[in-house]
Amino acid sequence: MANAASGMAVNDECKLKFLELKAKRTYRYIIYKIEEKQKQVVVDKLGEPANGYDDFTANLPADECRYAVYDFDFVTEENCQKSRIFFIAWCPDTSRVRSKMIYASSKDRFKRELDGIQVELQATDPTEMGLDVFKSRVN
């Protein structure tokens, strides 16, 4: 179960909540964190469907790494409502080096557990995952 490179397991709740976001749109976003002592990825925060992008970014810690999934709604040039599921690897420059290394080495395996990710972003500061970045990546 654990990733050979980083030794991190993925808590079942991570996958279950992601399936609820993907299939039922129960959540706008999910923020995940690595519990280093337990050596596993767990759900940190859940955003209700009514929560917007600002609420999502406010829940990302300024100096700690996190993984996040965000269900981004947009309107195409043909005026069609669509959504894309973004995976965000949030690793601020101010986070601990050890933390950055653990998150980097666990990311690909964790992302594979979440079947249905459509776009991936890596961000070290809020400007790298602004709404303009989301909009530019959906086409």
Side-chain angles (χ1 to χ4, degrees), residues 75-136:
V75 178
T76 65
E77 287 179 18
E78 296 80 34
N79 213 22
C80 295
Q81 279 287 126
K82 293 209 170 178
S83 76
R84 290 277 182 273
I85 298 175
F86 277 74
F87 177 87
I88 298 115
W90 171 247
C91 285
D93 290 329
T94 53
S95 56
R96 295 184 350 258
V97 172
R98 174 176 164 71
S99 180
K100 287 188 227 183
M101 288 171 55
I102 291 170
Y103 274 80
S105 65
S106 303
K107 181 186 74 163
D108 287 337
R109 179 184 183 274
F110 178 62
K111 204 174 80 178
R112 279 196 301 273
E113 296 282 339
L114 307 178
D115 185 36
I117 299 289
Q118 295 161 308
V119 185
E120 180 183 341
L121 291 177
Q122 294 193 36
T124 57
D125 72 70
T127 62
E128 293 178 352
M129 51 173 252
L131 275 175
D132 55 331
V133 176
F134 274 64
K135 289 173 183 163
S136 73

Side-chain angles (χ1 to χ4, degrees), residues 25-41:
R25 306 195 75 187
T26 312
Y27 308 106
R28 170 67 55 202
Y29 62 84
I30 306 169
I31 298 174
Y32 303 95
K33 70 178 180 180
I34 292 177
E35 289 287 356
E36 289 186 39
K37 287 183 176 65
Q38 298 166 2
K39 293 198 178 327
Q40 70 174 339
V41 182

Side-chain angles (χ1 to χ4, degrees), residues 5-70:
S6 67
M8 289 298 152
V10 177
N11 186 298
D12 286 341
E13 186 189 20
C14 294
K15 292 180 265 190
L16 292 172
K17 297 296 181 194
F18 177 75
L19 288 172
E20 289 176 22
L21 176 145
K22 184 174 87 169
K24 301 179 192 159
R25 306 195 75 187
T26 312
Y27 308 106
R28 170 67 55 202
Y29 62 84
I30 306 169
I31 298 174
Y32 303 95
K33 70 178 180 180
I34 292 177
E35 289 287 356
E36 289 186 39
K37 287 183 176 65
Q38 298 166 2
K39 293 198 178 327
Q40 70 174 339
V41 182
V42 297
V43 172
D44 185 27
K45 293 192 170 94
L46 297 167
E48 298 300 316
N51 292 143
Y53 177 80
D54 291 336
D55 182 67
F56 166 64
T57 55
N59 277 298
L60 287 171
D63 57 356
E64 290 179 37
C65 298
R66 291 289 187 271
Y67 299 128
V69 172
Y70 188 86

